[in-house]
Amino acid sequence: MERFEIDPDIHVAQTLPARIYSDPDMFRAQWESVFARTWHYAGHAGLVSVPGQVHPFVLMPGTLNEPLLLVRDTGDRIRCLSNVCTHRGTLVVEGPGHAQQLRCRYHGRRFTLDGRFHSMPEFEGTANFPSPKDDLPEVALGSWERFLLVALAPAMPIADVVAPLRARLGQLPFSALSFDQPGAREYVVSANWALYIDNYLEGFHIPYVHASLAQTLDYGEYAVELQRHGVLQLGIAKAGEPAFALPPAHRDHARRVAAYYFWLFPTTMFNVYPWGVSVNVVTPLAVDRTRVSFLPFVWDETKREQGAGGALDRVEREDEAVVEAVQRGVRSRLYDRGRYSPTREAGVHHFHRLLAEFMNHSMS
Ligand code: FES
Ligand SMILES: [Fe+2]
């Protein structure tokens, strides 16, 4: 397959070729080269709050389709294990609950909560058994505050990925967050996942697409900061509009920040508002279908419907409409690549560079 080149100089660079967003082979190539090698949101610590609590889930349904298990072991440590029995491969844990051991219901193999093989009936004559291969494989797990991220074969340490969040937001009251389950939303967008990310990574379209959001954010002050494996955008409040009250020692104290939009390559967004955190999880379902989950974690309900953090459903539907129109456009025979605005599309350029870097890696 070809290599993708995105010039590091945004002034001369061209955007990704359109087939990245529309060709099923390109999409398929991203499963191992991008999704398997990066960190993805897996849930929050409250899903497994006491030792023995288990929470099975599928990592990246539609692409990786990897059955995994979050478990808090007897040592009070959260782990992520393969949820596939090492005997004949059925799923070990079928639903969330509490357990002293993990027992496969097919033929009764047992594992301890840290994934180690414990016992198995009718295997007395089996040679070289058990071996470490009979343990449930453990998957890399990392966290930022209560948010858990997992990776199958990570190309970078989680500490590096979340370092900018830790450095920037350390003073905010994360221990007061509570998950608003009824407030969670899911959207299915008829567009490639990377088009959704492209759109997320620029505030350029805000005055054109989001009339209500444009009334509360100062377009001239909107800021983008690039990180090795992420992008931070800062929405700055217009005069009189709601913003964080940050302590004098905070580097953004003088800026009237209305929203921190943190994106972690490739699929995770932490949007931090004066009311709390909206975790957005992007799940690619097919080359032209993407699920987006909005998971609200609240520390101050009274600020919920204000400023840049209010009316999120309306903003999302406005974004969906434009992103779906782009999907129809990138199939055109008459369009291939575009150019970047150096002042407004540094985040999009950075994402394209990362996507090209990861996709090229698989071919090198
Ligand atoms: S598949 Fe699990 S015990 Fe046989
Ligand atoms: Fe938008």
Side-chain angles (χ1 to χ4, degrees):
M1 228 189 243
E2 75 213 88
R3 289 182 65 82
F4 300 101
E5 303 295 347
I6 303 292
D7 199 291
D9 180 356
I10 193 171
H11 301 88
V12 302
Q14 289 187 283
T15 61
L16 284 169
R19 61 190 172 283
I20 288 263
Y21 306 105
S22 59
D23 179 344
D25 293 338
M26 296 285 162
F27 180 61
R28 184 68 185 79
Q30 292 163 353
W31 301 7
E32 301 308 321
S33 66
V34 182
F35 304 146
R37 297 171 58 229
T38 47
W39 295 89
H40 304 278
Y41 183 77
H44 60 100
L47 296 171
V48 285
S49 55
V50 295
Q53 200 166 358
V54 294
H55 179 85
F57 70 104
V58 174
L59 179 65
M60 306 285 280
T63 57
L64 300 179
N65 276 316
E66 189 61 51
L68 298 177
L69 179 69
L70 291 173
V71 54
R72 191 179 287 265
D73 70 16
T74 47
D76 210 15
R77 178 174 152 195
I78 301 177
R79 294 174 187 268
C80 184
L81 305 172
S82 168
N83 193 24
V84 177
C85 182
T86 50
H87 176 221
R88 296 239 310 278
T90 193
L91 300 187
V92 180
V93 176
E94 295 184 61
H98 298 260
Q100 309 238 305
Q101 289 188 330
L102 309 174
R103 188 179 75 88
C104 178
R105 73 181 179 95
Y106 200 0
H107 316 94
R109 180 168 293 196
R110 290 173 188 268
F111 306 88
T112 52
L113 293 175
D114 57 5
R116 288 218 302 277
F117 175 92
H118 176 268
S119 58
M120 174 91 194
E122 312 290 349
F123 263 55
E124 287 75 17
T126 306
N128 303 321
F129 182 87
S131 80
K133 279 191 184 153
D134 299 298
D135 299 337
L136 294 174
E138 185 158 5
V139 171
L141 173 77
S143 63
W144 170 60
E145 295 296 338
R146 70 184 56 198
F147 306 112
L148 307 175
L149 297 116
V150 300
L152 295 182
M156 70 296 267
I158 185 65
D160 292 3
V161 178
V162 300
L165 288 153
R166 293 204 169 115
R168 199 60 164 262
L169 302 178
Q171 287 111 318
L172 296 176
F174 291 101
S175 58
L177 283 178
S178 76
F179 179 42
D180 171 23
Q181 180 122 40
R185 294 283 175 274
E186 273 195 355
Y187 305 90
V188 174
V189 187
S190 297
N192 184 267
W193 70 279
L195 288 180
Y196 190 88
I197 306 291
D198 284 356
N199 178 70
Y200 177 87
L201 289 176
E202 44 94 349
F204 195 8
H205 69 274
I206 292 174
Y208 303 99
V209 174
H210 304 303
S212 60
L213 187 58
Q215 282 174 13
T216 187
L217 288 183
D218 183 331
Y219 183 71
E221 293 297 313
Y222 196 89
V224 180
E225 297 176 20
L226 308 182
Q227 293 139 8
R228 175 67 182 90
H229 292 108
V231 172
L232 166 62
Q233 298 171 90
L234 292 101
I236 306 297
K238 282 184 175 167
E241 292 293 314
F244 281 99
L246 295 166
H250 195 285
R251 63 178 281 187
D252 301 320
H253 173 69
R255 288 178 97 176
R256 305 205 73 255
V257 178
Y260 289 96
Y261 303 107
F262 272 95
W263 165 75
L264 310 185
F265 176 72
T267 58
T268 307
M269 296 135 175
F270 292 111
N271 303 313
V272 186
Y273 303 112
W275 58 257
V277 184
S278 174
V279 183
N280 294 8
V281 182
V282 174
T283 307
L285 300 175
V287 66
D288 56 0
R289 252 170 90 80
T290 301
R291 187 175 71 204
V292 183
S293 309
F294 279 28
L295 308 170
F297 293 81
V298 182
W299 57 47
D300 185 350
E301 189 63 47
T302 65
K303 302 202 168 89
R304 190 72 177 273
E305 277 309 311
Q306 298 174 6
L312 296 182
D313 178 72
R314 170 180 172 166
V315 172
E316 168 61 22
R317 285 182 284 113
E318 291 166 347
D319 280 324
E320 274 176 31
V322 284
V323 167
E324 290 180 347
V326 181
Q327 185 70 36
R328 295 194 292 274
V330 292
R331 287 197 299 255
S332 163
R333 288 161 191 78
L334 306 178
Y335 173 84
D336 186 26
R337 307 177 75 167
R339 301 291 304 277
Y340 300 100
S341 159
T343 52
R344 293 288 172 184
E345 293 178 302
V348 184
H349 176 245
H350 189 55
F351 168 47
H352 291 182
R353 301 253 310 143
L354 283 166
L355 194 56
E357 172 193 336
F358 275 69
M359 290 185 73
N360 290 341
H361 178 274
S362 64
M363 302 152 210
S364 55

